[in-house]
Amino acid sequence: AQTVTQSQPEMSVQEAETVTLSCTYDTSESDYYLFWYKQPPSRQMILVIRQEAYKQQNATENRFSVNFQKAAKSFSLKISDSQLGDAAMYFCASKPNAGGTSYGKLTFGQGTILTVHP
Amino acid sequence: EPEVTQTPSHQVTQMGQEVILRCVPISNHLYFYWYRQILGQKVEFLVSFYNNEISEKSEIFDDQFSVERPDGSNFTLKIRSTKLEDSAMYFCASSGVRDGYTFGSGTRLTVV
């Protein structure tokens, strides 16, 4: 079984500054994937970044990067140079690696609402 | 870029009525899913579907729910007798052998 916890219901950041969203997880799986999804007001789920648990190196995607601490079961998202368009709900999620990156149930955290101030 | 298409975007139904939510997954994907998000809450897994059968389902997915892939393109979620608490955003998703998840834009179901 997997659980994902996001302890920050809301966060705010000034435009152009950096913000970090926290996520912790628990899993009985030996291998798994971790994800951050963005949900803007349109409510579409958009993949921001993905981390394979067996990879030591933290994933990076342009202004988005993660700090993956496997022993601590922590997976935080750092957004650099925040933009107004980053304002959204952000969900952390995990998935067993039974089927690779493609197959399997996603378990989501409760979400963090990010506000970006101009 | 390929998309997962969901219709309708918003559906209002009376309590006790049957509703069918429709999804067109990405054409070469093999795995299909439904998730639900009650307003302001987290996204919850309902069911996964592979090779024309349910491969996993959650406790939420009780006898009131069913899924079907009636032809080669559509993937549907049926709720037989809707309850007020079924009001939520329903997301369809698909994934392929090498592709990760792609979510649709969701159907907002309102039960009155």
Side-chain angles (χ1 to χ4, degrees), chain A residues 44, chain B residues 1-6 23-29 73 92-94 102-105:
Chain A
Q44 176 139 21
Chain B
E1 189 168 331
E3 290 184 342
V4 174
T5 305
Q6 288 187 246
C23 170
V24 179
I26 293 175
S27 61
N28 63 346
H29 281 182
S73 59
C92 175
S94 68
T102 300
F103 280 89
S105 301

Side-chain angles (χ1 to χ4, degrees), chain A residues 10-118:
Chain A
E10 297 182 28
M11 291 285 285
S12 64
V13 64
Q14 289 293 131
E15 197 175 3
E17 298 199 342
T18 296
V19 65
T20 299
L21 308 184
S22 301
C23 172
T24 58
Y25 64 92
D26 197 9
T27 179
S28 55
E29 302 289 334
S30 58
D31 198 12
Y32 49 91
Y33 284 88
L34 297 165
F35 306 85
W36 279 97
Y37 280 90
K38 172 184 178 181
Q39 188 180 45
S42 65
R43 300 194 78 182
Q44 176 139 21
M45 298 293 287
I46 302 166
L47 177 65
V48 174
I49 200 164
R50 176 177 68 205
Q51 174 79 39
E52 298 170 58
Y54 67 89
K55 286 190 176 178
Q56 301 273 3
Q57 189 172 4
N58 289 324
T60 299
E61 195 73 43
N62 299 317
R63 299 183 293 107
F64 299 88
S65 61
V66 298
N67 183 5
F68 175 44
Q69 302 289 325
K70 192 170 183 178
K73 294 184 177 177
S74 168
F75 182 62
S76 61
L77 174 70
K78 184 170 84 171
I79 306 174
S80 304
D81 186 26
S82 297
Q83 300 175 359
L84 295 177
D86 295 333
M89 175 82 95
Y90 286 82
F91 289 98
C92 179
S94 69
K95 187 185 82 63
N97 191 23
T101 186
S102 62
Y103 176 69
K105 176 180 86 173
L106 284 168
T107 300
F108 286 87
Q110 302 91 326
T112 297
I113 298 173
L114 178 66
T115 302
V116 181
H117 298 290

Side-chain angles (χ1 to χ4, degrees), chain A residues 39 43 102-106 109, chain B residues 35 37 45 55 91 95-96 101:
Chain A
Q39 188 180 45
R43 300 194 78 182
S102 62
Y103 176 69
K105 176 180 86 173
L106 284 168
Chain B
Y35 286 79
Q37 184 183 28
F45 170 79
S55 46
F91 290 100
S95 61
Y101 264 69

